[in-house]
Amino acid sequence: MKERLVVIPTYNEIENIEAIIRKVFSLPEPFDVLIVDDSSPDGTAQRVRDLQEEFPATGSSVRASLPRLHLLERRGKLGLGTAYIDGFKWALSRGYQYLFEMDADFSHNPEDLIKLYRVCAEEGPDRADVAVGSRYIRGVNVVNWPMGRVLMSYFAGVYVRFITGMSIMDPTAGFVCYRAEVLEVILHNPIKFVGYAFQIEMKFTCWKYGFRIREVPIIFTDRTRGVSKMSSKIFKEAVFGVLQMKISSFFRHYIPRRDSVKKVEEPIGV
């Protein structure tokens, strides 16, 4: 069975892409990787194709014979949110059970993929449907960000909690594990936003459907190579998009798909 897939959107990540792929493949537990590249002019997609030759399908068992590195190329810079949506749909059509969001620039530590997976895969009543790698569940765990950006990010979370009613401490987090059944439900309706607001809308929709969301403490480290994709346009989308999203939710009926799931977000130590 195809179990775990990490979806990594890229645009001009030639400086990071090989290292992040090798790091994921070096983990003690197996994860497949899907790179969703928006026609990067720096050759990111070609580097991935070269690596596909290095990591071909090997082994005699059914699981080992499946390729681990995949590439989905898109025409033009279409945005972070649509990259994840296309990646998720690609993965669901191929039977993956756990799907992960992760940046290509090492701001998310690939070793924390295992922590997120275990929170969603553990048996029993504490199992999560969505695991969020949280920068703020235990203080402020951000490295190399200027103070202004830390404050902007932190108070964005305060604003989101006030508007939406969710208790998630890091609603703009982009390091997330979803169980496949969650995405099968929420992707039936279009996700409208692209940047920060995309991350918020995904969590808000999961919450409205009654899926269990758990926050896992991580340390976020700002990129040391390449260029950040953050912009004032993305930030404004988050500020005004959250209010629009909340108002729209009053006119939408969310039918919980699992009677046993409770609306709970709670910090855990892993």
Side-chain angles (χ1 to χ4, degrees), residues 7-253:
V7 180
I8 304 178
T10 56
Y11 184 78
N12 286 347
E13 290 290 355
I14 193 69
E15 296 179 80
N16 295 301
I17 193 61
E18 179 173 351
I20 197 75
I21 290 170
R22 291 188 183 279
K23 180 61 179 178
V24 172
F25 287 164
S26 74
L27 296 174
E29 297 189 25
F31 291 82
D32 292 355
V33 173
L34 170 65
I35 304 300
V36 183
D37 186 71
D38 277 4
S39 299
S40 299
D42 69 350
T44 298
Q46 183 57 52
R47 182 64 59 85
V48 175
R49 283 192 290 271
D50 294 341
L51 289 170
Q52 284 181 309
E53 296 181 6
E54 183 177 339
F55 296 102
T58 58
S60 57
S61 69
V62 173
R63 179 64 185 85
S65 65
L66 299 173
R68 299 184 63 192
L69 178 58
H70 308 274
L71 175 64
L72 178 60
E73 295 184 77
R74 308 196 306 167
R75 296 182 178 179
K77 192 175 182 181
L78 303 177
L80 178 72
T82 61
Y84 275 126
I85 296 301
D86 286 348
F88 292 152
K89 290 180 177 179
W90 184 98
L92 291 173
S93 70
R94 288 159 176 80
Y96 283 96
Q97 300 301 302
Y98 299 91
L99 288 79
F100 299 79
E101 296 182 6
M102 190 175 75
D103 291 345
D105 59 9
F106 283 95
S107 56
H108 305 136
N109 184 349
E111 294 181 3
D112 288 332
L113 288 167
I114 296 173
K115 295 199 297 185
L116 297 181
Y117 167 71
R118 289 177 178 170
V119 168
C120 288
E122 67 183 5
E123 296 299 328
D126 292 332
R127 185 176 69 178
D129 299 298
V130 181
V132 177
S134 177
R135 296 164 289 187
Y136 305 121
I137 198 65
R138 291 183 178 174
V140 177
N141 292 307
V142 178
V143 177
N144 293 338
W145 261 9
M147 183 55 66
R149 188 166 178 184
V150 172
L151 291 173
M152 180 180 72
S153 174
Y154 180 82
F155 283 105
V158 174
Y159 171 74
V160 170
R161 289 193 294 277
F162 175 75
I163 296 296
T164 65
M166 293 190 299
S167 60
I168 299 173
M169 290 299 295
D170 195 358
T172 63
F175 194 24
V176 184
C177 173
Y178 297 95
R179 292 175 60 85
E181 63 194 72
V182 174
L183 295 173
E184 287 169 351
V185 169
I186 69 174
L187 295 185
H188 280 297
N189 296 292
I191 302 296
K192 298 179 180 179
F193 298 114
V194 176
Y196 264 170
F198 164 79
Q199 301 293 0
I200 298 165
E201 186 178 7
M202 289 289 287
K203 297 174 186 66
F204 179 73
T205 306
C206 291
W207 178 69
K208 290 292 287 184
Y209 271 111
F211 289 109
R212 179 185 288 268
I213 304 171
R214 302 277 296 275
E215 294 192 78
V216 179
I218 64 163
I219 296 176
F220 179 95
T221 304
D222 195 21
R223 68 164 62 233
T224 58
R225 297 180 179 180
V227 179
S228 173
K229 311 304 188 296
M230 174 56 64
S231 68
S232 59
K233 180 180 179 181
I234 291 174
F235 181 71
K236 288 178 182 177
E237 179 195 61
V239 172
F240 297 107
V242 169
L243 189 57
Q244 177 186 344
M245 179 185 70
K246 178 64 175 179
I247 294 171
S248 297
S249 72
F250 294 137
F251 304 96
R252 179 175 167 184
H253 187 48

